[in-house]
Amino acid sequence: MIMWGGATAASQYEGGFDKKKGIDTQDCRPYLPRNSNATMQTRLLTKQVIQESKDEESKLYYPFRVGTKGYEYVEEDLNLLKELGIQIYRFSLSWARLFPKGIEEKPDMEGVQYYDQIFEFCKQNNIKIFLTMNHYAVPLYLVENYGGWTNRNMIRYYLNFANFVFERWGSYVDYWLPFNEINAGYFSPYNGTGLIKPESEGYDMQKVFESLHHQFVANAKTIQLAKKLKVSGEFGAMISCFCYYPFTPKPEDNFKLVKEEQVNQWFCSDVLMKGKYPYYMDDFFEKNKVNLNITKDDKKVLSEFPCEFISFSYYSSSVVTTEEVEKTAGNLVITTKNPYLQASEWGWQIDAIGLRTTLNKVYDRYNCPVIIAENGFGAKDVLEKEQVHDLYRINYFDSHFNEIIKAEKEDKVDIRAYIAWGIIDIVSAGSCEMDKRYGVIYVDGDNEGNGTYRRYKKDSFYWYQDFIKKQTNKI
Ligand code: BG6
């Protein structure tokens, strides 16, 4: 039976920046009005961006420092989630809230108590927990002083954080995720690993893959530590899935698809699920002059502690071609336009069957339980007379849920849970704005932090509530 749930992520939701929380990489990203280049600019972490973000005189607005004020509204929000009837809640911990610099031995207790109430609430109300230990944000101190994940010492700091999490909340969690969308480290290094980009050139591939390698080892060592401490729950890998189509049946398009899919989508989960680097990366590393220091110990821990379930985010599908044809946006990537699909206002192509296809592909590749860790429709909502009529979101859910049920019932994919992204409106991770909302719960805040931040149930709230009740035979 599939569990139906919802998700938030600390940096996009909590705010509470003044509560002794350390500054992290997401806190440095300003909101830039949407125009030609703004979205790309907000995704790049350069030394200059960091400097500007620390300037107290700066006129720029930093939305991740406010989120949607979850820190303040947590009690009300948890009660709303309970009323909605979700069976599983995915949330993440802010590393810098617990360990402001990332190097402290003991965590900040105010931060600990904030999370205590969430774990306790879920337990009392029989809501399963899918915990993302790290969703994109890296304490800035670690980035500035150690070079972030390019430095092997990060593994040690991460394990210290993990050790505390296991000791405090080890018995509360059902599904553990050490890293959100691990493949983002490649296609969006700032988000994925908090990597600083040189001012004038692109990302250094050597650093990108070194960072990822250290995350892989941290992931395996985290599982090793959990097993040693006899922590309950299962450990998973998560990737962003793109469901690629070749633009034409031309063999060149299809071959290009295979190559892109390998590096963009499968590489990281292949390492974490199969416990070793896949063959196809040898050629990629050679061509990109990447030379990794993979020690004997790294190989051992990777092979001994693979992940136990696979999870993924899926919003839209992508198209691959060797030709120059019209492009559109996707989840942190640019893709070719698919003439058969409609797209959201942000250019993300809506493809419910693509989700069923992805479920089949992922299950076939790893042959273990699958969780849809993120899915949903980012749209502009209008609050009028305390109501939001978001039929477009209901339609998106409806079409995608039908395909999930077919994947389970007809295709026999072992699906554990479906988790709706940004179940309460949160700041967009890709474009740092509030305009792009996913929630079934509306939060009255705008791109620049104006608003009451009061919560309102959208039409999709009642629709999802009813859907969950039907699925669980409560009506
Ligand atoms: C995923 C991330 O890539 O996509 C989330 O894990 C993010 O953090 C989600 O919010 C949707 O992307 P966006 O850019 O619309 O917020």
Side-chain angles (χ1 to χ4, degrees):
M1 259 284 261
I2 303 173
M3 289 181 284
W4 300 89
T8 56
S11 64
Q12 293 166 258
Y13 166 66
E14 289 174 6
F17 186 64
D18 50 341
K19 309 278 179 212
K20 290 201 240 151
K21 175 183 170 294
I23 182 165
D24 64 38
T25 45
Q26 297 293 347
D27 294 324
C28 303
R29 301 174 64 195
Y31 162 69
L32 300 175
R34 201 145 45 107
N35 62 31
S36 52
N37 226 357
T39 307
M40 284 324 287
Q41 277 171 26
T42 62
R43 289 181 193 166
L44 302 175
L45 185 66
T46 59
K47 283 196 175 140
Q48 198 193 333
V49 170
I50 293 178
Q51 257 347 90
E52 272 169 29
S53 77
K54 289 193 202 158
D55 177 0
E56 287 180 8
E57 309 280 289
S58 171
K59 298 262 178 310
L60 291 172
Y61 171 61
Y62 289 90
F64 294 99
R65 299 179 188 188
V66 177
T68 44
K69 302 201 178 175
Y71 197 89
E72 233 173 88
Y73 281 82
V74 64
E75 212 184 310
E76 181 178 337
D77 288 345
L78 288 170
N79 278 306
L80 280 166
L81 294 181
K82 179 180 169 190
E83 184 186 336
L84 177 62
I86 56 168
Q87 299 165 292
I88 181 164
Y89 179 37
R90 175 180 175 219
F91 63 97
S92 73
L93 302 171
S94 160
W95 189 351
R97 183 178 306 290
L98 293 172
F99 296 86
K101 288 183 173 165
I103 56 165
E104 299 84 346
E105 270 182 33
K106 300 255 177 292
D108 172 66
M109 286 316 286
E110 206 179 314
V112 172
Q113 279 151 15
Y114 167 71
Y115 293 116
D116 276 347
Q117 61 189 318
I118 305 176
F119 285 105
E120 213 35 64
F121 184 94
C122 291
K123 188 173 169 186
Q124 298 301 329
N125 291 285
N126 207 13
I127 298 173
K128 299 251 184 262
I129 294 177
F130 180 120
L131 186 71
T132 313
M133 297 170 70
N134 186 225
H135 192 123
Y136 288 167
V138 181
L140 192 62
Y141 184 88
L142 293 176
V143 172
E144 291 194 293
N145 294 279
Y146 295 87
W149 282 103
T150 59
N151 190 325
R152 197 172 264 272
N153 285 322
M154 283 291 279
I155 301 171
R156 187 156 51 84
Y157 295 125
Y158 185 89
L159 284 174
N160 185 51
F161 158 71
N163 189 55
F164 172 77
V165 174
F166 291 152
E167 282 178 352
R168 183 96 183 175
W169 300 302
S171 63
Y172 288 81
V173 178
D174 302 278
Y175 296 97
W176 298 91
L177 185 64
F179 294 100
N180 178 62
E181 283 183 345
I182 189 125
N183 55 337
Y186 170 59
F187 62 77
S188 181
Y190 174 9
N191 275 318
T193 61
L195 190 62
I196 297 188
K197 191 185 92 58
E199 289 310 328
S200 52
E201 320 124 48
Y203 280 104
D204 174 342
M205 280 297 131
Q206 174 68 24
K207 287 195 171 148
V208 164
F209 285 94
E210 253 167 28
S211 301
L212 271 171
H213 179 67
H214 294 145
Q215 287 193 337
F216 297 157
V217 177
N219 194 92
K221 289 199 168 183
T222 299
I223 303 178
Q224 181 182 40
L225 177 65
K227 301 295 167 196
K228 188 172 134 211
L229 297 175
K230 302 207 181 335
V231 165
S232 60
E234 290 169 65
F235 279 78
M238 179 193 167
I239 48 168
S240 179
C241 278
F242 305 108
C243 188
Y244 291 104
Y245 300 101
F247 189 61
T248 68
K250 230 179 24 176
E252 286 81 358
D253 277 0
N254 199 39
F255 186 68
K256 187 168 180 208
L257 179 158
V258 170
K259 286 294 179 194
E260 284 207 5
E261 194 174 46
Q262 283 174 338
V263 182
N264 275 335
Q265 186 175 285
W266 298 129
F267 159 54
C268 298
S269 48
D270 279 354
V271 177
L272 298 189
M273 302 299 301
K274 298 180 177 178
K276 61 180 177 88
Y277 274 65
Y279 76 95
Y280 53 80
M281 290 309 283
D282 289 353
D283 176 51
F284 180 90
F285 287 154
E286 237 173 78
K287 289 191 174 127
N288 289 280
K289 302 197 175 37
V290 174
N291 211 330
L292 295 178
N293 173 23
I294 306 178
T295 67
K296 245 168 100 184
D297 280 355
D298 292 349
K299 285 189 182 157
K300 188 165 184 292
V301 76
L302 283 172
S303 73
E304 286 177 1
F305 297 96
C307 289
E308 298 154 319
F309 69 89
I310 178 75
S311 60
F312 64 88
S313 61
Y314 173 85
Y315 293 93
S316 54
S317 57
S318 308
V319 175
V320 178
T321 175
T322 53
E323 281 165 27
E324 271 311 308
V325 282
E326 199 185 345
K327 299 274 189 271
T328 185
N331 189 4
L332 297 173
V333 291
I334 304 288
T335 181
T336 298
K337 213 164 170 193
N338 185 331
Y340 298 97
L341 299 175
Q342 304 281 321
S344 77
E345 208 185 307
W346 277 261
W348 296 26
Q349 315 192 93
I350 305 164
D351 181 2
I353 296 176
L355 177 53
R356 181 177 181 183
T357 308
T358 302
L359 282 162
N360 277 276
K361 281 198 171 184
V362 164
Y363 187 49
D364 184 37
R365 193 168 187 105
Y366 300 119
N367 206 8
C368 68
V370 182
I371 293 183
I372 303 154
E374 281 183 32
N375 171 253
F377 190 60
K380 266 191 188 158
D381 291 330
V382 182
L383 178 70
E384 235 171 11
K385 298 193 187 136
E386 310 209 333
Q387 293 182 339
V388 177
H389 302 302
D390 56 342
L391 186 60
Y392 37 89
R393 185 166 293 109
I394 293 173
N395 288 339
Y396 182 98
F397 278 150
D398 190 37
S399 60
H400 285 69
F401 292 2
N402 280 332
E403 296 303 321
I404 294 169
I405 291 167
K406 283 188 214 156
E408 191 203 27
K409 300 264 182 294
E410 295 173 31
D411 309 337
K412 317 287 180 211
V413 178
D414 177 5
I415 308 171
R416 285 288 160 87
Y418 168 89
I419 303 177
W421 181 243
I423 192 81
I424 301 164
D425 285 346
I426 52 177
V427 176
S428 152
S431 46
C432 306
E433 62 193 324
M434 272 307 299
D435 271 355
K436 193 179 186 193
R437 297 162 181 277
Y438 289 86
V440 302
I441 297 164
Y442 185 89
V443 178
D444 177 32
D446 73 9
N447 290 337
E448 269 139 356
N450 308 301
T452 62
Y453 283 81
R454 268 194 218 121
R455 279 50 180 157
Y456 299 91
K457 292 173 221 164
K458 304 182 193 177
D459 288 356
S460 56
F461 180 97
Y462 300 103
W463 186 90
Y464 194 31
Q465 183 185 50
D466 187 58
F467 174 87
I468 298 172
K469 275 190 195 149
K470 283 186 183 135
Q471 291 303 310
T472 49
N473 298 322
K474 286 195 188 141
I475 51 173

